[in-house]
Amino acid sequence: MVLVRNLRPPTEGVRHEEANTTAVLSGQQLGCGTLYVAETRLSWFDGSGMGFSLEYPSISLHAISRDVSAYPEEHLYVMVNGKLDLGFLDSSNGDEEEVITEIRFVPRDKASLESMFSAMCECQALHPDPDDEDSDNDFEGEEYNVEEYGHADVPTFYTCDEGLSSLTQEGQATLERLEGMLAQSVAQQYHMAGVRTEETKAEFEDGMEVDAAVAEAGQFEDADVEH
Amino acid sequence: MVVNSIRERTIAENSMVVLLQGLQGEVTTVDLRDESSARGLVLNVDAFMNIRLKDVLFLDRRGQTAQLQDLFITGRNVRYVHIPDHVNIMKTMESQLAKIHRVRNFAGGGRKEFGGRKK
């Protein structure tokens, strides 16, 4: 975790920028400024050069608080591991009781809270714990990269029905394309010299329709993937 | 289950985090390293044990409660995750592993993804 003065805001990898955001550090109001949720760090600056930056590994948790009985305004709550004040950061605690710092980012536009929160989630995921003792991250054999084979726009995999509704338009199109390819690849097995076997339709338990006319006949000619 | 990378799938497949991933949709309590705790609905757990909860009752280490709409806990700060009594641990893990294998087979066709290490 780094606390600095007179540093410029990050310009690259900024997932979310929120102006008119008040920062409250351990209960102390720092004034109004701009929050930068960047991939490398979380920063806030008040426009006069004063501000601070946090490294993601130092952030224990973050949350959206809409409970006005706990704090009068809706805000983004961030719990930082270590003691942070405007002088310097002291995280040299070692084995002592964990010291934490609470920071609240109160945007003027409350509707931005979800984006601010999501951006932080994404950036946190980019910084997994390097000290993780249980990391079985050593791979055996070659890593197969799905993305090399033209499925580059499939960043996430949903395998349950609920996930389908979360697909973006691009994701939906990709899913349809992949399903189409799967249907065709299965259909290929039953297309020999243009003759269609009767068993084709009966084989598919899930009722998936197989289009007899292979729309893209040459699709799999070059493929080195076995179906 | 949202899996963002092959690496995450491998990590999940080879560790108990698959059990936590199977808790998606359940309401549970997560105890943090600093003695605070959060109880809410599990939205997602990734391979690094980062946990996303919603509609959370947060009990800080001083004993004060606060309601949080959305909460993201860094994996590093998780001490315990309570498994609800009604959850069948073995079945949950088996079904999570099956999902991982389904994704791998669908995406890979006849090509093998690396097998990973079985614990």
Side-chain angles (χ1 to χ4, degrees), chain A residues 186-208:
Chain A
V186 178
Q188 291 279 336
Q189 299 168 23
Y190 298 92
H191 266 82
M192 291 189 284
V195 175
R196 199 163 143 228
T197 63
E198 285 310 304
E199 294 130 47
T200 310
K201 289 227 154 81
E203 292 282 334
F204 300 118
E205 325 168 311
D206 58 357
M208 193 162 64

Side-chain angles (χ1 to χ4, degrees), chain A residues 142-162:
Chain A
E142 309 248 315
E143 180 164 330
Y144 169 68
N145 190 352
V146 174
E147 286 151 17
E148 282 173 11
Y149 295 92
H151 308 323
D153 49 350
V154 183
T156 62
F157 291 103
Y158 288 85
T159 55
C160 51
D161 291 338
E162 298 131 35

Side-chain angles (χ1 to χ4, degrees), chain B residues 20-86:
Chain B
L20 301 187
Q21 292 175 330
L23 294 183
Q24 201 176 346
E26 300 283 341
V27 173
T28 189
T29 302
V30 179
D31 291 346
L32 275 62
R33 281 199 321 180
D34 72 343
E35 324 269 306
S36 57
S37 71
R39 181 168 180 79
L41 183 87
V42 178
L43 287 180
N44 190 55
V45 178
D46 69 15
F48 312 109
M49 219 185 296
N50 295 322
I51 301 175
R52 242 186 102 155
L53 299 175
K54 108 174 167 143
D55 299 331
V56 178
L57 187 67
F58 187 76
L59 182 73
D60 74 18
R61 54 199 194 158
R62 283 172 252 124
Q64 288 177 310
T65 60
Q67 281 187 352
L68 301 168
Q69 179 191 293
D70 254 298
L71 172 64
F72 179 101
I73 304 171
T74 313
R76 193 159 174 262
N77 289 281
V78 174
R79 176 178 286 157
Y80 299 124
V81 177
H82 295 234
I83 311 291
D85 287 340
H86 66 264

Side-chain angles (χ1 to χ4, degrees), chain A residues 168-219:
Chain A
T168 61
Q169 238 178 346
E170 190 186 66
Q172 192 72 35
T174 303
L175 177 64
E176 281 168 42
R177 193 183 82 227
L178 288 172
E179 282 185 353
M181 282 169 65
L182 184 66
Q184 288 204 16
S185 75
V186 178
Q188 291 279 336
Q189 299 168 23
Y190 298 92
H191 266 82
M192 291 189 284
V195 175
R196 199 163 143 228
T197 63
E198 285 310 304
E199 294 130 47
T200 310
K201 289 227 154 81
E203 292 282 334
F204 300 118
E205 325 168 311
D206 58 357
M208 193 162 64
E209 279 190 66
V210 176
D211 191 357
V214 180
E216 298 161 58
Q219 186 170 6

Side-chain angles (χ1 to χ4, degrees), chain A residues 108-175:
Chain A
R108 188 198 294 171
D109 182 6
K110 308 303 181 204
S112 298
L113 282 172
E114 313 258 355
S115 304
M116 290 158 70
F117 177 82
S118 299
M120 277 196 69
C121 290
E122 288 165 18
C123 293
Q124 272 286 34
L126 297 173
H127 299 260
D129 183 14
D131 297 330
D132 187 3
E133 310 142 6
D134 192 30
S135 43
D136 268 353
N137 296 343
D138 39 343
F139 305 140
E140 272 179 13
E142 309 248 315
E143 180 164 330
Y144 169 68
N145 190 352
V146 174
E147 286 151 17
E148 282 173 11
Y149 295 92
H151 308 323
D153 49 350
V154 183
T156 62
F157 291 103
Y158 288 85
T159 55
C160 51
D161 291 338
E162 298 131 35
L164 288 178
S165 57
S166 310
L167 283 177
T168 61
Q169 238 178 346
E170 190 186 66
Q172 192 72 35
T174 303
L175 177 64

Side-chain angles (χ1 to χ4, degrees), chain A residues 27-181:
Chain A
Q28 187 189 354
Q29 297 257 352
L30 298 184
C32 199
T34 302
L35 176 71
Y36 301 87
V37 185
E39 288 164 5
T40 47
R41 57 187 177 279
L42 184 72
S43 308
W44 180 89
F45 291 93
D46 74 349
S48 78
M50 189 271 288
F52 59 90
S53 279
L54 302 170
E55 303 287 331
Y56 288 102
S58 69
I59 296 176
S60 300
L61 58 87
H62 63 276
I64 295 177
S65 171
R66 297 203 193 267
D67 181 5
V68 293
S69 61
Y71 189 84
E73 286 205 67
E74 296 181 344
H75 63 278
L76 181 71
Y77 173 84
V78 178
M79 184 192 285
V80 176
N81 197 15
K83 181 123 181 70
L84 176 75
D85 59 39
L86 280 187
F88 66 100
L89 162 73
D90 178 13
S91 59
S92 58
N93 248 321
D95 304 314
E96 293 172 17
E97 183 200 283
E98 294 224 16
V99 176
I100 58 145
T101 303
E102 294 178 314
I103 307 178
R104 301 177 199 268
F105 294 107
V106 192
R108 188 198 294 171
D109 182 6
K110 308 303 181 204
S112 298
L113 282 172
E114 313 258 355
S115 304
M116 290 158 70
F117 177 82
S118 299
M120 277 196 69
C121 290
E122 288 165 18
C123 293
Q124 272 286 34
L126 297 173
H127 299 260
D129 183 14
D131 297 330
D132 187 3
E133 310 142 6
D134 192 30
S135 43
D136 268 353
N137 296 343
D138 39 343
F139 305 140
E140 272 179 13
E142 309 248 315
E143 180 164 330
Y144 169 68
N145 190 352
V146 174
E147 286 151 17
E148 282 173 11
Y149 295 92
H151 308 323
D153 49 350
V154 183
T156 62
F157 291 103
Y158 288 85
T159 55
C160 51
D161 291 338
E162 298 131 35
L164 288 178
S165 57
S166 310
L167 283 177
T168 61
Q169 238 178 346
E170 190 186 66
Q172 192 72 35
T174 303
L175 177 64
E176 281 168 42
R177 193 183 82 227
L178 288 172
E179 282 185 353
M181 282 169 65

